Structure formats: C-alpha cells, structure tokens
C-alpha cells in the first residue's frame, strides 16, 4: 500500500507557497491573501481552505483536460490514427473522471447532520468507485478499436498533425499531473493524488503515439493498432491500482507508517504510560482517530483532561489532515 502523504501544517501568518499559494493568492481566498488587514484577525478553518483549494484545482484540471481533448479530437478527424483515438478517448475519460471528484468536494462543504454524523467526506470515496468504472470501460473500448484496426490496417493521414496532437496531449496531462499531485498531497486527498498520477501516465501514453507516427512513416501501419493496445493495457494497470486505493479507503485502511507516526507522537506526551488502543480512518481527505492511553494511578480528572488535550493539540499540529481525534485517558 502506498504511503499516505502528510502535508505540512499552516503556522501563524505563514502562507502556503508553491502552486497552492499561487492559486490561493490569485483568487484572494481566505488565508491566502497577502493583504494583512482585517482578514488576518480571522481564524480560517483548515478544512474549508483545503476544500476550496481542492475545488479550484479540479476546475483548473478540467479546463486543461477539456482543452487538450478538444484539440486532439479536431486533429483526429483529419487522420486515421487509432493510437491518437485511444489517447483522445483516454483524455476525455480522465476529464470526466474529475467531475464526480468535483461534486464530492462540493458535497463535503455540507455540515454534519444527525444522520450523517461524520459529514459528507465519504462522497470522495464513492467518486473513486465511479472513476475506476470509467477507466475500465475506456480500456475495453480502446482494445476493441485496436483489434478492428489490427485486422484492417489503415495508413495514418497527416503524420505531422498526429505528432502535434501527441505533443499537446503530453503537455496538457503533465500540467494537470503536476497540479493535482502537489495539491492532493498538500490537502491529504488520496483520490486527487491518484487522479494526478493517472494524468501523468496519460502524458506518457501520449508520447507513445509518436511511435505510431514513426511506424506509418516507415510503412509499418500495423504499429498503430499495436500502440493502441499497449495504451489500453497501461489503462488496465491504472485501473488495478485505482481499485486497490478505493478498496483500502472503503475498508478504512491506513498506511502502517502513518499509524506508527501517530503512536510515536502520542508516546511523546508527558503523562502517557502506554497506548491501549489506537484507531484511524479516512473520511474523504480528512483523518479521524480514537485513542485510549493509560496514565498514573493517581491521576486526577483535571490531569487526565490535560493529557488528553495535549495529545489532541500535538496531533493536530503534526497532522493537518486530522479532522478530529477522540482521546480517553485511563488510570
């Protein structure tokens, strides 16, 4: 299982830098505006900031992917490249994959209710299921088209245009991959990181179209459907990794290294003798925990409460993705 990314917490008036800081400052989001006026006196909820950045990131990714797909689709109409068709369909599906993820982030804005006591963060995992289904469908579609073209090879028209489309596909997907991977790691969204990794592999498969162009230029038209099948197989591999990630999230699995980090920081709190129980679970891109520790037999209620508060404060500072942790101190 892949290691869970642990973002760096916000501290005081420090503003997140890099891609996230640029997006937040450009759009004047709370907590990102560098105009130190009245907004600095307002404490902004970390989960609200993460959710806003997540939504903006997905919208930007959608725009880039749709632009890439439209350009490739227009170029495809002037060619007969099944490899380019495969890459275009793949980019289209990847863009569609971001829609349920976007809806999940919007739904996560809703407050917890008496029925949904943990809020609506789990919608992110449901979006993951839809993403897996669409990835598998696109793989079978491309395999079918490639087999048909394998049986009836056709020369590729306008080789230069196909090569241009491949280059556009790589640039568009790499931009999305960089954006989603960095932001996903920063806010603790495993689904967004996976979507970013998917986009990076899409960019690599776009480069594979160059091989089809070279084959057609050399008179090896059969290379075009072969490349299409190779891309489809790569998509199947992506689907398998996505299935594993979604399964782990639905089963409330966490990375053992993350569990070990929690144990380490809890044990550093003065007054903690042993950890009797520690449970962690992801709800969307927020982490929830339950901790039971033992202390001295002579602990008063006030002292036990102080230990519990120290544990909560320490974990919240080290793990910004932490939504809530319940601590019980027993003698």
């Amino acid at each position: 299982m892949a290691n869970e990314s642990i973002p760096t917490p916000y501290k005081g008036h420090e503003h997140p830098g890099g891609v996230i800081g640029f997006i937040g400052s450009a759009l004047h989001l709370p907590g990102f505006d560098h105009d130190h006026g009245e907004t600095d006196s307002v404490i902004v909820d970390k989960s609200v900031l993460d959710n806003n950045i997540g939504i903006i990131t997905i919208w930007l990714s959608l725009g880039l992917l749709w632009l890439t797909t439209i350009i490739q689709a227009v170029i495809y109409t002037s060619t007969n490249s099944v490899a380019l068709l495969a890459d275009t369909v793949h980019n289209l599906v990847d863009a569609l994959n971001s829609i349920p993820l976007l809806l999940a982030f919007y739904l996560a804005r809703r407050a917890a209710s008496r029925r949904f006591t943990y809020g609506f963060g789990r919608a992110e995992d449901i979006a993951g299921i839809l993403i897996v289904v669409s990835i598998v469908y696109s793989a079978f579609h491309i395999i079918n088209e490639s087999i048909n073209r394998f049986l009836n090879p056709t020369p590729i028209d306008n080789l230069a245009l196909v090569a241009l489309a491949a280059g556009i596909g790589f640039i568009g997907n790499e931009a999305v991959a960089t954006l989603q991977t960095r932001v996903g790691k920063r806010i603790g969204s495993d689904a967004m990181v996976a979507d970013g990794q998917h986009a990076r592999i899409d960019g690599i498969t776009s480069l594979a179209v160059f091989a089809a162009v070279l084959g057609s230029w050399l008179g090896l038209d059969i290379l075009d459907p072969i490349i299409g099948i190779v891309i489809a197989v790569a998509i199947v591999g992506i689907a398998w990794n996505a299935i594993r990630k979604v399964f782990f999230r639905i089963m409330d699995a966490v990375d053992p290294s993350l569990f070990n980090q929690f144990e380490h920081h809890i044990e550093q709190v003065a007054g903690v003798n042993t950890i009797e129980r520690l449970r962690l679970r992801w709800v969307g891109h927020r982490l929830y925990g339950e901790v039971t520790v033992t202390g001295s037999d002579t602990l008063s209620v006030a002292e036990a409460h102080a230990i519990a508060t120290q544990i909560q404060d320490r974990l919240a500072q080290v793990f910004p993705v932490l939504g809530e942790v319940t601590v019980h101190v027993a003698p």
Side-chain angles (χ1 to χ4, degrees):
M1 183 176 177
N3 291 334
E4 302 286 357
S5 57
I6 307 299
T8 304
Y10 297 126
K11 297 179 181 179
H13 291 305
E14 294 181 5
H15 300 280
V19 176
I20 301 174
F22 174 78
I23 296 173
S25 298
L27 298 176
H28 304 288
L29 292 179
F32 293 87
D33 200 330
H34 289 274
D35 293 331
H36 292 267
E38 297 180 359
T39 55
D40 278 340
S41 63
V42 180
I43 299 177
V44 183
D45 193 309
K46 174 66 167 60
S47 62
V48 174
L49 288 176
D50 287 349
N51 210 61
N52 286 340
I53 286 295
I55 290 173
I56 294 168
T57 299
I58 298 172
W59 272 116
L60 290 174
S61 299
L62 273 171
L64 287 170
L65 287 173
W66 276 110
L67 179 61
T68 300
T69 301
I70 291 172
I71 293 175
Q72 286 190 315
V74 171
I75 294 176
Y76 169 73
T77 59
S78 301
T79 70
N80 288 314
S81 173
V82 71
L84 178 57
L85 172 63
D87 194 41
T88 303
V89 171
H90 195 182
N91 287 329
L92 173 62
V93 171
D94 202 25
L96 294 176
N97 284 345
S98 297
I99 294 178
L101 187 59
L102 178 65
L103 295 177
F105 270 89
Y106 274 117
L107 188 60
R109 284 180 164 183
R110 299 185 60 181
S113 65
R114 296 177 67 89
R115 181 182 294 275
F116 299 97
T117 55
Y118 275 90
F120 296 82
R122 187 68 77 180
E124 194 172 316
D125 302 323
I126 297 175
I129 296 175
L130 298 177
I131 289 173
V132 168
V133 172
S134 66
I135 292 174
V136 172
Y137 171 79
S138 67
F140 281 106
H141 173 72
I142 293 171
I143 288 175
N144 181 62
E145 289 295 324
S146 298
I147 291 175
N148 290 335
R149 189 59 61 86
F150 188 83
L151 298 175
N152 302 287
T154 304
I156 299 177
D157 298 328
N158 298 319
L159 297 181
L161 281 178
V162 176
L164 175 63
I168 292 173
F170 172 75
I171 294 172
N173 279 288
E174 182 59 28
V176 171
T178 300
L179 179 64
Q180 289 193 329
T181 300
R182 290 184 181 179
V183 174
K185 288 181 178 179
R186 181 64 180 80
I187 69 176
S189 174
D190 200 42
M192 183 176 289
V193 172
D195 206 28
Q197 293 172 341
H198 185 183
R200 176 151 289 142
I201 295 176
D202 287 352
I204 295 173
T205 56
S206 292
L207 291 180
V209 177
F210 281 111
V213 173
L214 178 61
S216 184
W217 183 66
L218 295 174
L220 300 174
D221 297 328
I222 198 68
L223 191 59
D224 183 45
I226 291 176
I227 294 299
I229 292 177
V230 170
I231 293 176
V233 172
I235 298 175
V236 172
I238 295 170
W240 172 245
N241 288 330
I243 289 171
R244 290 179 67 251
K245 285 180 176 291
V246 171
F247 174 77
F248 285 143
R249 280 297 173 99
I250 291 177
M251 294 299 295
D252 287 335
V254 296
D255 192 290
S257 65
L258 178 62
F259 188 90
N260 293 338
Q261 290 180 57
F262 264 78
E263 283 187 324
H264 170 74
H265 288 287
I266 293 171
E267 291 170 345
Q268 299 304 307
V269 175
V272 173
N273 289 343
T274 60
I275 300 175
E276 291 293 319
R277 187 180 69 175
L278 172 59
R279 292 180 177 175
L280 302 172
R281 67 186 302 194
W282 287 98
V283 179
H285 56 275
R286 309 305 293 172
L287 191 63
Y288 289 78
E290 297 176 13
V291 182
T292 299
V293 300
T294 59
S296 170
D297 291 339
T298 59
L299 279 179
S300 66
V301 173
E303 291 171 332
H305 177 72
I307 292 174
T309 301
Q310 290 177 46
I311 292 174
Q312 291 173 328
D313 291 344
R314 184 183 182 94
L315 293 178
Q317 181 181 12
V318 177
F319 304 101
V321 294
L322 189 64
E324 181 180 317
V325 59
T326 303
V327 181
H328 174 65
V329 181

